[in-house]
Amino acid sequence: MNWVIFAIGSAFFAGLTAILGKLGVEGINSNLATFIRTIVVLAVAGGIITLRNEWQLPQHIATKPFIFLLLSGVATGLSWLCYYRALQLAPASWVAPIDKLSVVIAIVLGVVLLGEPISLKLIIGSILILSGVLVLAL
């Protein structure tokens, strides 16, 4: 159940990110704001790795996982750039729910690309998330 604690932490900090980000992009270019945020994320992650003494690299990093990590980093960067620009243009209470469509997109991609199993619960949950986004966005 440790993953649930981290997932809840992720949701909490993502929600906090929307509010702090909205306040942070006032009067500053959204791309520069994303760059500053990225430097802070890098420093925090580096600090945690240092405190936990986890700087040891594996003897061999396979090419495939490394490429996917690089692509994930590109996707994260593009997501953050879009998110901060949207926050600059609209209220956080409008942007954040639409951003959460990422949950439905991740579910669809998990099923289609990773072969994850489909269940009635997964379908109903996805429809509810999509419905909630539509209610909040329209």
Side-chain angles (χ1 to χ4, degrees), residues 83-119:
Y83 188 71
Y84 266 44
R85 183 64 177 142
L87 283 175
Q88 199 168 48
L89 299 172
S93 59
W94 295 1
V95 174
I98 294 171
D99 178 65
K100 296 313 170 217
L101 279 176
S102 62
V103 174
V104 176
I105 292 167
I107 289 169
V108 170
L109 292 175
V111 169
V112 172
L113 299 178
L114 303 177
E116 294 179 352
I118 300 173
S119 67

Short mmCIF file of all heavy atoms in Angstrom, two decimals, residues 83-119:
data_model
loop_
_atom_site.label_atom_id
_atom_site.label_comp_id
_atom_site.label_asym_id
_atom_site.label_seq_id
_atom_site.Cartn_x
_atom_site.Cartn_y
_atom_site.Cartn_z
N TYR A 83 1.13 23.74 -19.34
CA TYR A 83 0.39 23.98 -18.10
C TYR A 83 0.59 25.39 -17.59
O TYR A 83 -0.36 26.09 -17.25
CB TYR A 83 0.84 22.95 -17.06
CG TYR A 83 0.04 22.94 -15.79
CD1 TYR A 83 -1.26 22.46 -15.78
CD2 TYR A 83 0.58 23.40 -14.60
CE1 TYR A 83 -2.01 22.43 -14.61
CE2 TYR A 83 -0.15 23.38 -13.42
CZ TYR A 83 -1.45 22.89 -13.44
OH TYR A 83 -2.18 22.87 -12.29
N TYR A 84 1.82 25.85 -17.56
CA TYR A 84 2.10 27.19 -17.05
C TYR A 84 1.53 28.26 -17.97
O TYR A 84 1.04 29.29 -17.53
CB TYR A 84 3.60 27.39 -16.84
CG TYR A 84 4.01 27.07 -15.42
CD1 TYR A 84 3.54 25.95 -14.76
CD2 TYR A 84 4.84 27.92 -14.73
CE1 TYR A 84 3.90 25.68 -13.46
CE2 TYR A 84 5.23 27.66 -13.42
CZ TYR A 84 4.74 26.52 -12.79
OH TYR A 84 5.08 26.25 -11.50
N ARG A 85 1.57 28.02 -19.28
CA ARG A 85 0.97 28.99 -20.21
C ARG A 85 -0.54 29.03 -20.00
O ARG A 85 -1.14 30.11 -19.99
CB ARG A 85 1.31 28.61 -21.66
CG ARG A 85 0.79 29.60 -22.67
CD ARG A 85 1.45 30.96 -22.50
NE ARG A 85 0.95 31.85 -23.54
CZ ARG A 85 0.70 33.13 -23.36
NH1 ARG A 85 0.95 33.70 -22.19
NH2 ARG A 85 0.24 33.87 -24.33
N ALA A 86 -1.17 27.88 -19.83
CA ALA A 86 -2.61 27.84 -19.58
C ALA A 86 -2.94 28.56 -18.27
O ALA A 86 -3.92 29.31 -18.21
CB ALA A 86 -3.10 26.39 -19.53
N LEU A 87 -2.11 28.36 -17.23
CA LEU A 87 -2.34 29.06 -15.95
C LEU A 87 -2.21 30.56 -16.11
O LEU A 87 -2.89 31.32 -15.43
CB LEU A 87 -1.36 28.56 -14.89
CG LEU A 87 -1.66 27.21 -14.24
CD1 LEU A 87 -0.53 26.83 -13.30
CD2 LEU A 87 -2.99 27.23 -13.50
N GLN A 88 -1.35 30.96 -17.01
CA GLN A 88 -1.17 32.39 -17.23
C GLN A 88 -2.40 32.99 -17.92
O GLN A 88 -2.73 34.15 -17.70
CB GLN A 88 0.07 32.62 -18.09
CG GLN A 88 0.62 34.01 -18.04
CD GLN A 88 1.99 34.07 -18.66
OE1 GLN A 88 2.20 33.57 -19.76
NE2 GLN A 88 2.93 34.70 -17.97
N LEU A 89 -3.09 32.18 -18.70
CA LEU A 89 -4.21 32.67 -19.50
C LEU A 89 -5.58 32.45 -18.86
O LEU A 89 -6.56 33.08 -19.29
CB LEU A 89 -4.19 31.99 -20.88
CG LEU A 89 -2.95 32.25 -21.73
CD1 LEU A 89 -2.96 31.37 -22.97
CD2 LEU A 89 -2.85 33.73 -22.10
N ALA A 90 -5.67 31.56 -17.88
CA ALA A 90 -6.98 31.21 -17.31
C ALA A 90 -6.84 30.90 -15.82
O ALA A 90 -5.75 30.63 -15.33
CB ALA A 90 -7.55 29.99 -18.04
N PRO A 91 -7.97 30.92 -15.09
CA PRO A 91 -7.93 30.59 -13.67
C PRO A 91 -7.49 29.15 -13.42
O PRO A 91 -7.78 28.25 -14.22
CB PRO A 91 -9.40 30.78 -13.22
CG PRO A 91 -10.01 31.68 -14.23
CD PRO A 91 -9.31 31.37 -15.53
N ALA A 92 -6.81 28.93 -12.32
CA ALA A 92 -6.35 27.58 -11.95
C ALA A 92 -7.51 26.61 -11.84
O ALA A 92 -7.38 25.43 -12.18
CB ALA A 92 -5.58 27.63 -10.63
N SER A 93 -8.67 27.09 -11.39
CA SER A 93 -9.84 26.23 -11.24
C SER A 93 -10.40 25.77 -12.59
O SER A 93 -11.19 24.83 -12.64
CB SER A 93 -10.93 26.94 -10.44
OG SER A 93 -11.32 28.13 -11.09
N TRP A 94 -9.99 26.39 -13.68
CA TRP A 94 -10.36 25.94 -15.02
C TRP A 94 -9.29 25.03 -15.60
O TRP A 94 -9.58 24.03 -16.22
CB TRP A 94 -10.54 27.12 -15.97
CG TRP A 94 -11.66 28.05 -15.65
CD1 TRP A 94 -12.54 27.99 -14.60
CD2 TRP A 94 -12.00 29.22 -16.37
NE1 TRP A 94 -13.41 29.04 -14.63
CE2 TRP A 94 -13.11 29.82 -15.72
CE3 TRP A 94 -11.49 29.84 -17.51
CZ2 TRP A 94 -13.70 30.99 -16.17
CZ3 TRP A 94 -12.09 31.00 -17.96
CH2 TRP A 94 -13.18 31.57 -17.30
N VAL A 95 -8.03 25.42 -15.39
CA VAL A 95 -6.91 24.70 -15.99
C VAL A 95 -6.70 23.33 -15.35
O VAL A 95 -6.54 22.33 -16.04
CB VAL A 95 -5.61 25.54 -15.90
CG1 VAL A 95 -4.40 24.75 -16.38
CG2 VAL A 95 -5.76 26.84 -16.68
N ALA A 96 -6.70 23.29 -14.02
CA ALA A 96 -6.38 22.04 -13.31
C ALA A 96 -7.31 20.88 -13.68
O ALA A 96 -6.82 19.77 -13.92
CB ALA A 96 -6.36 22.27 -11.80
N PRO A 97 -8.63 21.08 -13.75
CA PRO A 97 -9.48 19.94 -14.11
C PRO A 97 -9.20 19.41 -15.52
O PRO A 97 -9.18 18.20 -15.74
CB PRO A 97 -10.90 20.51 -14.03
CG PRO A 97 -10.80 21.68 -13.14
CD PRO A 97 -9.43 22.25 -13.35
N ILE A 98 -8.96 20.31 -16.47
CA ILE A 98 -8.67 19.86 -17.83
C ILE A 98 -7.34 19.12 -17.85
O ILE A 98 -7.20 18.10 -18.53
CB ILE A 98 -8.67 21.05 -18.81
CG1 ILE A 98 -10.10 21.61 -18.91
CG2 ILE A 98 -8.15 20.64 -20.18
CD1 ILE A 98 -10.21 22.91 -19.67
N ASP A 99 -6.38 19.60 -17.08
CA ASP A 99 -5.09 18.91 -16.97
C ASP A 99 -5.28 17.48 -16.47
O ASP A 99 -4.53 16.59 -16.85
CB ASP A 99 -4.18 19.69 -16.02
CG ASP A 99 -2.85 19.02 -15.80
OD1 ASP A 99 -2.07 18.90 -16.77
OD2 ASP A 99 -2.60 18.59 -14.66
N LYS A 100 -6.30 17.25 -15.66
CA LYS A 100 -6.52 15.91 -15.11
C LYS A 100 -7.07 14.93 -16.14
O LYS A 100 -7.23 13.75 -15.86
CB LYS A 100 -7.42 15.96 -13.87
CG LYS A 100 -6.80 16.73 -12.72
CD LYS A 100 -5.37 16.31 -12.47
CE LYS A 100 -4.68 17.23 -11.48
NZ LYS A 100 -3.29 17.49 -11.78
N LEU A 101 -7.36 15.42 -17.34
CA LEU A 101 -7.66 14.49 -18.43
C LEU A 101 -6.48 13.56 -18.67
O LEU A 101 -6.62 12.51 -19.29
CB LEU A 101 -7.99 15.25 -19.73
CG LEU A 101 -9.40 15.78 -19.86
CD1 LEU A 101 -9.53 16.60 -21.13
CD2 LEU A 101 -10.41 14.65 -19.85
N SER A 102 -5.31 13.95 -18.15
CA SER A 102 -4.13 13.10 -18.25
C SER A 102 -4.39 11.72 -17.65
O SER A 102 -3.82 10.73 -18.09
CB SER A 102 -2.93 13.76 -17.58
OG SER A 102 -3.18 13.93 -16.19
N VAL A 103 -5.27 11.65 -16.66
CA VAL A 103 -5.61 10.37 -16.05
C VAL A 103 -6.28 9.47 -17.07
O VAL A 103 -5.91 8.30 -17.25
CB VAL A 103 -6.54 10.56 -14.81
CG1 VAL A 103 -7.01 9.22 -14.28
CG2 VAL A 103 -5.84 11.37 -13.74
N VAL A 104 -7.26 10.01 -17.78
CA VAL A 104 -7.96 9.22 -18.80
C VAL A 104 -7.02 8.86 -19.94
O VAL A 104 -7.02 7.72 -20.43
CB VAL A 104 -9.20 9.99 -19.33
CG1 VAL A 104 -9.89 9.23 -20.44
CG2 VAL A 104 -10.18 10.28 -18.18
N ILE A 105 -6.19 9.81 -20.35
CA ILE A 105 -5.22 9.54 -21.42
C ILE A 105 -4.26 8.44 -21.00
O ILE A 105 -3.96 7.52 -21.77
CB ILE A 105 -4.48 10.83 -21.81
CG1 ILE A 105 -5.47 11.81 -22.47
CG2 ILE A 105 -3.30 10.55 -22.73
CD1 ILE A 105 -4.95 13.23 -22.63
N ALA A 106 -3.78 8.48 -19.75
CA ALA A 106 -2.87 7.44 -19.25
C ALA A 106 -3.56 6.07 -19.22
O ALA A 106 -2.94 5.05 -19.55
CB ALA A 106 -2.35 7.80 -17.87
N ILE A 107 -4.84 6.05 -18.84
CA ILE A 107 -5.58 4.78 -18.82
C ILE A 107 -5.69 4.22 -20.23
O ILE A 107 -5.40 3.03 -20.47
CB ILE A 107 -6.97 4.98 -18.18
CG1 ILE A 107 -6.82 5.21 -16.67
CG2 ILE A 107 -7.88 3.78 -18.45
CD1 ILE A 107 -8.09 5.68 -15.98
N VAL A 108 -6.09 5.05 -21.19
CA VAL A 108 -6.24 4.60 -22.58
C VAL A 108 -4.90 4.11 -23.13
O VAL A 108 -4.81 3.04 -23.73
CB VAL A 108 -6.84 5.71 -23.47
CG1 VAL A 108 -6.77 5.33 -24.94
CG2 VAL A 108 -8.28 6.00 -23.05
N LEU A 109 -3.84 4.89 -22.91
CA LEU A 109 -2.52 4.49 -23.40
C LEU A 109 -2.02 3.22 -22.71
O LEU A 109 -1.38 2.38 -23.34
CB LEU A 109 -1.51 5.63 -23.22
CG LEU A 109 -1.75 6.87 -24.09
CD1 LEU A 109 -0.75 7.97 -23.74
CD2 LEU A 109 -1.67 6.52 -25.57
N GLY A 110 -2.32 3.09 -21.42
CA GLY A 110 -1.93 1.87 -20.70
C GLY A 110 -2.60 0.64 -21.29
O GLY A 110 -1.97 -0.41 -21.45
N VAL A 111 -3.86 0.77 -21.64
CA VAL A 111 -4.59 -0.36 -22.23
C VAL A 111 -4.09 -0.64 -23.64
O VAL A 111 -3.78 -1.78 -23.99
CB VAL A 111 -6.12 -0.07 -22.23
CG1 VAL A 111 -6.87 -1.08 -23.07
CG2 VAL A 111 -6.65 -0.07 -20.79
N VAL A 112 -3.98 0.42 -24.46
CA VAL A 112 -3.62 0.25 -25.87
C VAL A 112 -2.15 -0.12 -26.06
O VAL A 112 -1.82 -1.06 -26.80
CB VAL A 112 -3.97 1.53 -26.67
CG1 VAL A 112 -3.44 1.46 -28.09
CG2 VAL A 112 -5.47 1.78 -26.66
N LEU A 113 -1.26 0.60 -25.40
CA LEU A 113 0.18 0.40 -25.64
C LEU A 113 0.82 -0.64 -24.72
O LEU A 113 1.78 -1.31 -25.12
CB LEU A 113 0.93 1.73 -25.51
CG LEU A 113 0.52 2.83 -26.50
CD1 LEU A 113 1.31 4.10 -26.22
CD2 LEU A 113 0.72 2.38 -27.94
N LEU A 114 0.34 -0.73 -23.49
CA LEU A 114 0.96 -1.64 -22.53
C LEU A 114 0.18 -2.92 -22.32
O LEU A 114 0.63 -3.82 -21.61
CB LEU A 114 1.17 -0.93 -21.18
CG LEU A 114 1.99 0.36 -21.20
CD1 LEU A 114 2.05 0.98 -19.82
CD2 LEU A 114 3.38 0.10 -21.76
N GLY A 115 -1.00 -3.00 -22.92
CA GLY A 115 -1.81 -4.21 -22.78
C GLY A 115 -2.38 -4.40 -21.38
O GLY A 115 -2.65 -5.53 -20.98
N GLU A 116 -2.55 -3.31 -20.64
CA GLU A 116 -3.12 -3.43 -19.30
C GLU A 116 -4.57 -3.86 -19.41
O GLU A 116 -5.26 -3.52 -20.37
CB GLU A 116 -2.97 -2.10 -18.55
CG GLU A 116 -1.51 -1.75 -18.28
CD GLU A 116 -1.32 -0.44 -17.55
OE1 GLU A 116 -2.31 0.31 -17.36
OE2 GLU A 116 -0.17 -0.14 -17.18
N PRO A 117 -5.04 -4.61 -18.43
CA PRO A 117 -6.41 -5.14 -18.53
C PRO A 117 -7.49 -4.07 -18.38
O PRO A 117 -7.32 -3.10 -17.64
CB PRO A 117 -6.48 -6.14 -17.37
CG PRO A 117 -5.44 -5.68 -16.40
CD PRO A 117 -4.36 -5.04 -17.22
N ILE A 118 -8.56 -4.28 -19.11
CA ILE A 118 -9.73 -3.39 -19.03
C ILE A 118 -10.71 -4.03 -18.05
O ILE A 118 -10.92 -5.23 -18.07
CB ILE A 118 -10.41 -3.24 -20.40
CG1 ILE A 118 -9.44 -2.65 -21.42
CG2 ILE A 118 -11.65 -2.36 -20.30
CD1 ILE A 118 -9.98 -2.62 -22.83
N SER A 119 -11.31 -3.19 -17.21
CA SER A 119 -12.34 -3.68 -16.30
C SER A 119 -13.51 -2.71 -16.32
O SER A 119 -13.38 -1.57 -16.76
CB SER A 119 -11.79 -3.80 -14.87
OG SER A 119 -11.50 -2.52 -14.36
#
